[in-house]
Amino acid sequence: MKQLYAILFAMLFAASGLCNGPARGYIVTKNGKRLTGYIGEVFHSQFRSVVVFINDFGSTYNIEAERIRGFVFFDNEGYTAFESKNFRGRWYFLRILEKGVALNLYQSPEEQYNIRFDNGVLQASIHNVTEFWIESRARKRPVRLNRLNFRRKMRRLFRKIDAPDYRDKIGAEGYHFRDLADIVREYNREQSLNKREI
């Protein structure tokens, strides 16, 4: 019951228009069709992700991550794409940072809503999150990364995909948490070259 109240409260947050304003974009349905309109607030919590979508006719929808493949919006800096990902039975919208032949890198929305009951009162708070997700094309299951678990999880990932050179490099100069995007790019570039040589 508490989770139901939290989800309803989350949807109210998403519908309240707490963002700078909707941006032109589109959602991608489960069958691959694009529906154009405007992308509003992206709500991200420990339970799920919800995006506010305003279609070309002005109707507003709160769409949960499990209902669509993802969405894209355009602004002054170019385009930003989010993809729906299932992690342990919960669906999240994750921002696409890198897509490659071997590894994909995603980022959680930078703000996360925390909802909890305290002495029977529903309370919500917002905090900044620096959390990334990495996915091996071979395994298709994203792994959540943060500064504290980076070394352990990256070494485990490279062991599972049989990349001992990279496993040994993690933690060395140029292979820290702040270098995550560069590590993924380098590994994808190497795998791409290996595929061309075969």
Side-chain angles (χ1 to χ4, degrees):
M1 189 68 171
K2 288 182 180 180
Q3 188 173 9
L4 176 64
Y5 285 126
I7 291 166
L8 292 172
F9 190 71
M11 292 178 77
L12 286 174
F13 253 118
S16 65
L18 297 173
C19 62
N20 295 333
R24 189 77 183 146
Y26 58 87
I27 60 171
V28 180
T29 64
K30 286 287 189 183
N31 61 1
K33 294 187 178 182
R34 293 181 181 184
L35 302 177
T36 59
Y38 294 88
I39 304 298
E41 175 81 9
V42 180
F43 167 77
H44 183 71
S45 77
Q46 64 268 36
F47 300 116
R48 62 184 46 192
S49 293
V50 176
V51 65
V52 176
F53 175 67
I54 305 163
N55 70 14
D56 288 330
F57 302 107
S59 300
T60 302
Y61 301 91
N62 294 322
I63 303 175
E64 298 166 333
E66 61 264 30
R67 307 261 182 242
I68 60 175
R69 282 190 188 175
F71 62 91
V72 176
F73 65 86
F74 308 95
D75 57 19
N76 296 336
E77 298 171 9
Y79 76 91
T80 303
F82 282 77
E83 195 172 319
S84 298
K85 287 292 174 184
N86 186 346
F87 180 72
R88 296 182 181 169
R90 293 193 173 148
W91 287 83
Y92 301 102
F93 287 122
L94 301 177
R95 181 179 177 193
I96 301 169
L97 298 179
E98 294 290 332
K99 291 279 256 188
V101 296
L103 296 176
N104 298 328
L105 181 64
Y106 304 96
Q107 182 178 15
S108 294
E110 294 172 357
E111 287 185 341
Q112 180 173 327
Y113 295 90
N114 286 330
I115 301 166
R116 68 181 199 285
F117 280 90
D118 191 15
N119 294 328
V121 177
L122 183 65
Q123 295 187 357
S125 62
I126 301 171
H127 72 277
N128 291 334
V129 176
T130 305
E131 188 174 72
F132 295 90
W133 301 68
I134 193 163
E135 176 185 65
S136 164
R137 291 273 185 151
R139 296 181 53 83
K140 288 288 185 187
R141 184 175 173 193
V143 176
R144 186 184 292 188
L145 297 172
N146 58 42
R147 194 171 297 281
L148 298 175
N149 67 20
F150 168 75
R151 285 187 188 190
R152 178 176 50 85
K153 288 194 173 183
M154 284 299 287
R155 286 178 179 157
R156 184 184 304 157
L157 173 72
F158 282 127
R159 186 180 69 239
K160 286 181 180 177
I161 62 174
D162 197 27
D165 293 343
Y166 280 87
R167 185 186 68 226
D168 296 339
K169 289 178 184 178
I170 296 299
E173 187 60 38
Y175 293 87
H176 294 286
F177 181 70
R178 66 179 173 269
D179 307 309
L180 183 57
D182 294 330
I183 295 167
V184 170
R185 270 187 228 112
E186 179 185 327
Y187 184 75
N188 281 333
R189 191 168 39 249
E190 184 179 291
Q191 294 303 303
S192 180
L193 290 173
N194 289 344
K195 285 186 177 184
R196 284 185 202 153
E197 291 173 2
I198 294 177

